[in-house]
Amino acid sequence: NVSALFETQITPSGWTFNIWSVIYVWSPAVLPYGFFISWCINLCFNIGWLLLWDRMMIPALVFLILVIATNYSMVYFICHGLHSHGAWLNKNHVQNGVMIYTTWTHIATLINLTIVFVVEQFVLDEHVRYIFIIYPVVIWALAGNLDKHYTKTPSRNGIFIGLLAIACLLYVLRIILVVWRHFKQP
């Protein structure tokens, strides 16, 4: 319902959320203890995210980022487990099951972040109107990445160039919107 309320250009159709059944059913039986500890912590963060998602979007975003962090700890333990149970893990494609979850939570984080920015602009304007620093930080990080990895031949850098251009455009739009609101709706 929250995704429908704050729909963005990257919010997928409702049926795509059925992927959660695949994620939860793909449960491994033979893995190191660290995997299961990470998984339990991950599920606690996931529950926290679900409880916060429709009430407090910025804390929900933090929980979702913690979900991704624990996803990567699970991936680590699976890779470590390949040494002991490689044939079984390979046969049951456990790595793919965890990576479905990891990839999906990355997508969910991007959607959550987009909604937080939408809410910032329109719902929470009176509380966060003069907070600008988010955009320069993103621009700074993308510019540094572009500076380090830019090549003249087509490569993945095009993604960073596009993201940098979008971040700059959003920053300019944010400044224009805040100045306009400052005078029209002080």
Side-chain angles (χ1 to χ4, degrees):
N1 290 339
V2 174
S3 292
L5 182 62
F6 299 108
E7 189 160 331
T8 68
Q9 292 294 318
I10 62 170
T11 303
S13 297
W15 62 265
T16 61
F17 296 103
N18 290 330
I19 198 167
W20 285 107
S21 59
V22 174
I23 291 167
Y24 288 134
V25 168
W26 208 319
S27 55
V30 178
L31 285 170
Y33 292 118
F35 172 86
F36 292 105
I37 292 168
S38 296
W39 195 15
C40 289
I41 294 168
N42 176 281
L43 292 175
C44 290
F45 288 141
N46 194 313
I47 290 167
W49 172 69
L50 290 170
L51 293 173
L52 291 171
W53 173 232
D54 66 337
R55 293 171 186 84
M56 302 170 67
M57 290 186 187
I58 294 174
L61 177 61
V62 172
F63 269 76
L64 198 50
I65 291 168
L66 291 171
V67 167
I68 291 172
T70 53
N71 281 347
Y72 280 110
S73 68
M74 292 187 304
V75 170
Y76 167 80
F77 285 114
I78 286 174
C79 292
H80 181 70
L82 281 173
H83 179 71
S84 304
H85 304 288
W88 186 90
L89 291 171
N90 188 35
K91 179 182 174 192
N92 292 291
H93 307 288
V94 173
Q95 301 93 329
N96 288 320
V98 172
M99 287 313 295
I100 289 171
Y101 182 37
T102 302
T103 306
W104 187 253
T105 53
H106 268 91
I107 293 167
T109 302
L110 292 174
I111 293 168
N112 199 150
L113 184 62
T114 303
I115 291 172
V116 165
F117 283 147
V118 169
V119 168
E120 174 196 48
Q121 297 296 332
F122 300 105
V123 178
L124 299 176
D125 177 63
E126 67 182 75
H127 304 290
V128 298
R129 178 176 290 176
Y130 300 104
I131 297 175
F132 291 99
I133 199 65
I134 297 166
Y135 300 93
V137 170
V138 172
I139 292 167
W140 181 268
L142 290 171
N145 191 294
L146 189 62
D147 178 57
K148 183 176 181 179
H149 300 288
Y150 179 75
T151 59
K152 294 186 190 281
T153 58
S155 67
R156 286 184 254 176
N157 288 321
I159 295 169
F160 289 108
I161 293 169
L163 291 173
L164 182 58
I166 290 169
C168 291
L169 178 65
L170 288 174
Y171 186 48
V172 169
L173 290 173
R174 173 83 174 142
I175 291 171
I176 292 168
L177 188 62
V178 167
V179 169
W180 180 79
R181 285 182 176 160
H182 178 77
F183 291 109
K184 296 293 182 183
Q185 303 165 346

